[in-house]
Amino acid sequence: MTTEVPDTATDPVHPSDRIDTSVAHPARRYNYWLGGKDNFAADRESGDRMAELFPSIRISALENRRFLQRAVGHLAREAGIRQFLDVGTGIPTANNTHEVAQGIAPASRVVYVDNDPIVLAHARALLTSSAEGATAYIDADLRDPDKILSHPDLRRTLDLSQPVGLMLVAVLHFVPDADDPYAAVTRLLDALPAGSYLAASHATHDYLPPHLAQEAKASARGGGPHGIINLRSRDEFTRFFTGLELIEPGISSVAEWRAGTEPQPRPSVVEVSMYGGVARKP
């Protein structure tokens, strides 16, 4: 088992210096919903508050994870993708992007990106590659796509002249409109060649009762960068795929996207309340 060694010289501030356990962080809260132990009281309290508004949030988190695994499996097996850029990695669990991809094609190369220093520590310890492939981890934020694209670890691991699977799974809804997530996605896609793919998922208010949808929107307008989920509509999510060719079944619930092999019965679209889609750059 091998892994690329990150160039820590490019990170003047040590990631551990940024750990603030008093503030909820999406990756740690997600870990809590998935039943993990890498979270703190603030993450659990934030997670429980969200669960009060959306009681099936844990089902949504699990289904979103399964969507990632099916999407990576399709890209590696059917589309022949051998390079992946996974932004918003989260704390590693079972069947991460590189494990799924390298289980199909051992020479697959994966770069993970996240802005949580605890995720960084876990990723560098656990996200080890097959001998034939490679993995690397970048400490960066989706809102700074140029830092991601110019990072030496990405340049050493991926060949941007060849197709890449860009994974933006359960991360876009943490970027408020004021930070223009559409521009960030466009910048990343512009750097990738034709034949690349975007796989993305996003929480939505479309299935919430009107009073809960309004409450969620109000919270997003008044919240900070780490705790708030910016729910978007189907049309708003579809905008991220502008200029791309959606593959079947198009935009759908993550619980339904190519889920024929998943255990039955499937959770409802209302329980999951999250869209997913995969599209090819022509």
Side-chain angles (χ1 to χ4, degrees):
M1 303 281 279
T2 62
T3 186
E4 297 288 334
V5 177
D7 182 5
T8 54
T10 62
D11 298 320
V13 178
H14 194 278
S16 63
D17 295 336
R18 304 200 323 269
I19 296 176
D20 184 353
T21 62
S22 68
V23 177
H25 192 282
R28 301 194 301 262
R29 186 175 56 212
Y30 192 73
N31 174 263
Y32 171 56
W33 288 332
L34 291 175
K37 298 179 180 179
D38 298 301
N39 50 76
F40 299 96
D43 308 306
R44 296 188 288 273
E45 291 168 4
S46 174
D48 289 342
R49 286 197 302 271
M50 287 192 175
E52 290 175 1
L53 292 174
F54 185 33
S56 58
I57 190 71
R58 289 176 176 83
I59 295 174
S60 181
L62 289 167
E63 288 301 321
N64 187 76
R65 189 71 185 177
R66 292 188 177 110
F67 164 77
L68 178 144
Q69 292 158 4
R70 296 195 303 275
V72 172
H74 169 80
L75 294 181
R77 185 179 295 109
E78 307 298 331
I81 297 296
R82 299 293 179 261
Q83 303 187 110
F84 293 85
L85 176 57
D86 186 335
V87 182
T89 304
I91 294 171
T93 60
N95 296 318
N96 298 286
T97 294
H98 79 282
E99 292 171 318
V100 176
Q102 292 179 352
I104 297 166
S108 297
R109 305 175 72 85
V110 180
V111 170
Y112 291 103
V113 180
D114 205 289
N115 65 352
D116 182 357
I118 290 181
V119 173
L120 172 63
H122 282 278
R124 287 179 172 168
L126 300 176
L127 298 182
T128 52
S129 173
S130 67
E132 301 92 334
T135 61
Y137 183 90
I138 296 175
D139 180 21
D141 194 302
L142 172 60
R143 290 167 290 192
D144 190 356
D146 287 325
K147 178 180 179 180
I148 295 172
L149 293 168
S150 64
H151 199 286
D153 291 341
L154 182 143
R155 294 291 174 170
R156 279 195 293 265
T157 308
L158 303 183
D159 177 0
L160 297 188
S161 70
Q162 298 298 314
V164 174
L166 174 60
M167 311 299 296
L168 298 177
V169 177
V171 64
L172 292 167
H173 48 234
F174 293 115
V175 184
D177 290 341
D179 289 339
D180 200 352
Y182 298 100
V185 174
T186 296
R187 176 70 185 94
L188 290 172
L189 287 169
D190 284 349
L192 306 181
S196 294
Y197 284 80
L198 168 64
S201 64
H202 200 299
T204 182
H205 53 64
D206 285 353
Y207 301 108
L208 293 178
H211 71 285
L212 289 183
Q214 289 302 319
E215 187 172 341
K217 292 176 184 178
S219 296
R221 287 193 296 270
H226 292 306
I228 299 302
I229 294 179
N230 301 271
L231 303 178
R232 294 186 172 97
S233 68
R234 179 190 180 94
D235 287 345
E236 290 172 320
F237 177 57
T238 302
R239 278 184 57 197
F240 288 109
F241 297 90
T242 299
L244 306 180
E245 300 169 345
L246 282 162
I247 67 170
E248 292 294 332
I251 303 298
S252 67
S253 169
V254 294
E256 297 179 340
W257 193 91
R258 301 198 174 208
T261 60
E262 293 285 3
Q264 301 295 325
R266 307 296 299 130
S268 71
V269 296
V270 175
E271 288 177 299
V272 176
S273 202
M274 186 171 294
Y275 290 121
V278 178
R280 181 181 183 275
K281 180 177 178 179

